[in-house]
Amino acid sequence: MNAYAQRVLDELKAKNPNEPEFHQAATEIIESLSLVFDKHPEFESKGLLEMIVEPERVVSFRVPWVDDNGKVQVNKGYRVQFNSAIGPYKGGIRFHPSVNLSIMKFLGFEQIFKNSLTGTPIGGGKGGCNFDPKGKSDNEIMRFCQAFMSELYRHIGADTDVPAGDIGVGAREIGYMFGYYKKIANEHVGVLTGRGLAYGGSLARKEATGYGLVYLVSEMLTHFGNTLKGQTVVISGSGNVSIYAAEKTMQLGGKVVAMSDSNGYIYDADGIDLALVKEIKEVKRGRISEYVQTRKNAKYVAKHTDIWTIPCQVALPCATQNELDVDAAKALVKNGVIAVGEGANMPTTLEATKVFLDAGVLFAPGKAANAGGVATSALEMAQSSQRMFWSFEEVDQKLHGIMVNIFKNISCAAAEYGQPKNLVLGANIAGFKKLSEAMLAHGVC
Ligand code: NDP
């Protein structure tokens, strides 16, 4: 690795111990950028990389709320405002018991490069809380969202920092948080994206991450002489990203045979009945295991990680970080996988990514492949500013154009640096280009 890149990575690890996810995300990106620093030694004297790896601001706060039994619960909330060189901080809010500073920083760091790739004017940030929404009543969810926003509102704003949803934060939670922001800030502005259509949301935002993922994977397959049509596809998770990745896959002629949640996976050789999955997950907020009660020929396996042993040509990990490890990657390669597209953020471990790249499997990294969600959030911001609404087709068409453009940029960057099939490298370098231009233009600040 380039000496400057190695030094910054070593210092980052020493200064931020006990942050393995942040180290992992930083290692992947800095390794790729090493090639850029070989070409541009002048970046070192400007301290560019040191500035990029340090968040502009990290806010951590307590979130006290009262459960249905009248007991006070206290959770830990975060907002990492990582980089605002290209535009206001932008990135989702995650409610999950695993949330900690390391996970917030890895997500915020990835978000900077992802948002740069979209070509829209947004910086990078991320937030969340170690709150577990599972099993909570609707009233508890509302009280918790209000408690979370009662602190977060001080730090965000339509031109400052615009959060959105992520794991555990969907339309319901955005609604409660937006309602409370409006009340205490006394303004009805585009401070959150993923809003309901009745109060300023964008058509196609709900579908955007999953659709965008499949647009990019389809583009990648076509570019390398193949097609999504007729391929067998395995998708992990059964949340927002997974459901709409499955929908677009089916629309483009792929066959989805498996989906999962954190308890287990379903396998349906006839092709997943997506209407049934939506009914279970979106309407009833149930578990994926319920699928086999209706579809008698399908099977349920109570071990979600084994989903990667199912033979398929295309694998779309859409659940969470590090869900696809080296053994899973080897099983997929052995079973003939030709393409992997990351719908989730960093779902593939560094070692597993290497297995795919070494085997010549087409690999679309999350910061490019799942950028459709945040790109459409930027389209929601544009509609809010104009007080205008675009049709579903108009937003979807713009989303498609953005994903095609992202693929073009990352594949060109990969080719420019002599590794045309290495889209991990291409995405990191292409994302860095605009970021570095903006930061250098702003001077030392
Ligand atoms: P949801 O909360 O809607 O769904 C998450 C899904 O992943 C659920 O099926 C959940 O199962 C499963 N899951 C969560 N944790 C684990 C785990 N440890 N092991 C296995 N499965 C797990 O989240 P989203 O669909 O919004 O997000 C999924 C991923 O996509 C995340 O990495 C997120 O950061 C990323 N992403 C999301 C975007 C968006 O627009 N929503 C945009 C870009 C990226 P269970 O119900 O059992 O918890």
Side-chain angles (χ1 to χ4, degrees), residues 33-348:
L33 297 183
S34 179
L35 299 177
V36 179
F37 295 122
D38 285 343
K39 272 195 186 177
H40 294 279
E42 73 277 12
F43 287 163
E44 182 168 6
S45 66
K46 302 204 180 286
L48 188 61
L49 192 53
E50 290 90 329
M51 287 211 277
I52 290 175
V53 299
E54 194 65 42
E56 289 175 21
R57 190 175 301 106
V58 176
V59 186
S60 143
F61 51 96
R62 81 170 177 231
V63 187
W65 58 285
V66 183
D67 70 18
D68 283 347
N69 298 319
K71 184 173 183 316
V72 174
Q73 303 282 348
V74 181
N75 287 100
K76 196 170 170 71
Y78 301 91
R79 187 70 185 165
V80 176
Q81 298 181 327
F82 223 120
N83 195 297
S84 61
I86 298 177
Y89 308 107
K90 182 96 196 81
I93 292 176
R94 175 175 292 190
F95 292 162
H96 194 272
S98 64
V99 163
N100 58 32
L101 185 59
S102 173
I103 290 180
M104 293 290 97
K105 283 173 71 180
F106 116 64
L107 289 164
F109 189 60
E110 287 267 311
Q111 197 82 43
I112 308 168
F113 294 83
K114 179 190 309 193
N115 294 2
S116 168
L117 284 174
T118 66
T120 61
I122 45 178
K126 199 79 190 187
C129 189
N130 64 349
F131 169 75
D132 188 357
K134 273 200 205 95
K136 302 288 188 298
S137 72
D138 198 49
N139 274 329
E140 287 178 321
I141 296 284
M142 182 176 73
R143 285 198 296 276
F144 173 78
C145 287
Q146 293 178 341
F148 186 76
M149 187 51 88
S150 71
E151 174 59 33
L152 186 70
Y153 90 100
R154 291 171 220 286
H155 311 287
I156 61 177
D159 292 318
T160 312
D161 182 354
V162 185
D166 189 72
I167 291 179
V169 179
R172 173 180 60 168
E173 292 75 17
I174 292 287
Y176 291 146
M177 285 193 276
F178 183 81
Y180 207 66
Y181 177 90
K182 181 175 70 62
K183 181 182 167 77
I184 55 182
N186 195 27
E187 54 179 25
H188 195 302
V189 294
V191 69
L192 296 173
T193 56
R195 282 169 288 151
L197 296 176
Y199 61 98
S202 173
L203 286 161
R205 173 60 187 91
K206 182 176 69 172
E207 293 82 357
T209 309
Y211 277 24
L213 165 68
V214 178
Y215 288 145
L216 189 126
V217 168
S218 171
E219 197 64 21
M220 173 173 78
L221 282 162
T222 308
H223 181 82
F224 289 102
N226 215 317
T227 173
L228 184 61
K229 199 162 180 211
Q231 309 289 7
T232 299
V233 181
V234 166
I235 300 179
S236 63
S238 48
N240 173 261
V241 179
S242 316
I243 286 177
Y244 293 95
E247 185 163 283
K248 185 50 73 180
T249 299
M250 292 173 191
Q251 286 172 8
L252 297 186
K255 183 179 179 188
V256 181
V257 295
M259 294 180 79
S260 62
D261 62 20
S262 55
N263 294 119
Y265 73 85
I266 48 164
Y267 173 69
D268 190 337
D270 299 331
I272 292 285
D273 177 347
L274 196 59
L276 179 57
V277 172
K278 283 187 184 180
E279 172 71 21
I280 294 167
K281 301 301 290 191
E282 292 187 333
V283 181
K284 293 201 267 174
R285 295 182 186 274
R287 308 302 299 159
I288 202 71
S289 56
E290 293 164 38
Y291 182 89
V292 295
Q293 290 165 12
T294 306
R295 293 276 282 195
K296 302 289 183 203
N297 288 338
K299 73 169 181 178
Y300 173 71
V301 177
K303 191 173 176 212
H304 65 88
T305 45
D306 279 2
I307 194 171
W308 307 120
T309 61
I310 299 170
C312 63
Q313 284 91 44
V314 178
L316 303 178
C318 296
T320 195
Q321 64 272 1
N322 292 328
E323 55 163 308
L324 201 166
D325 64 11
V326 72
D327 291 336
K330 284 181 183 162
L332 282 163
V333 170
K334 185 163 157 269
N335 286 329
V337 74
I338 56 173
V340 177
E342 293 188 317
N345 285 310
M346 208 171 74
T348 316

Side-chain angles (χ1 to χ4, degrees), residues 24-37 49 52 109-114 116-117 342 350 353 357 363-369 406 409-411 413-414 417 422-436:
Q24 184 181 340
T27 301
E28 184 215 279
I29 290 176
I30 293 175
E31 271 178 9
S32 300
L33 297 183
S34 179
L35 299 177
V36 179
F37 295 122
L49 192 53
I52 290 175
F109 189 60
E110 287 267 311
Q111 197 82 43
I112 308 168
F113 294 83
K114 179 190 309 193
S116 168
L117 284 174
E342 293 188 317
L350 287 172
T353 305
L357 294 179
F363 183 84
K367 67 176 71 63
I406 290 177
N409 286 341
I410 67 173
S411 56
Y417 281 82
N422 188 344
L423 300 175
V424 175
L425 182 82
N428 290 332
I429 291 178
F432 173 77
K433 195 167 180 295
K434 189 166 152 196
L435 174 69
S436 57

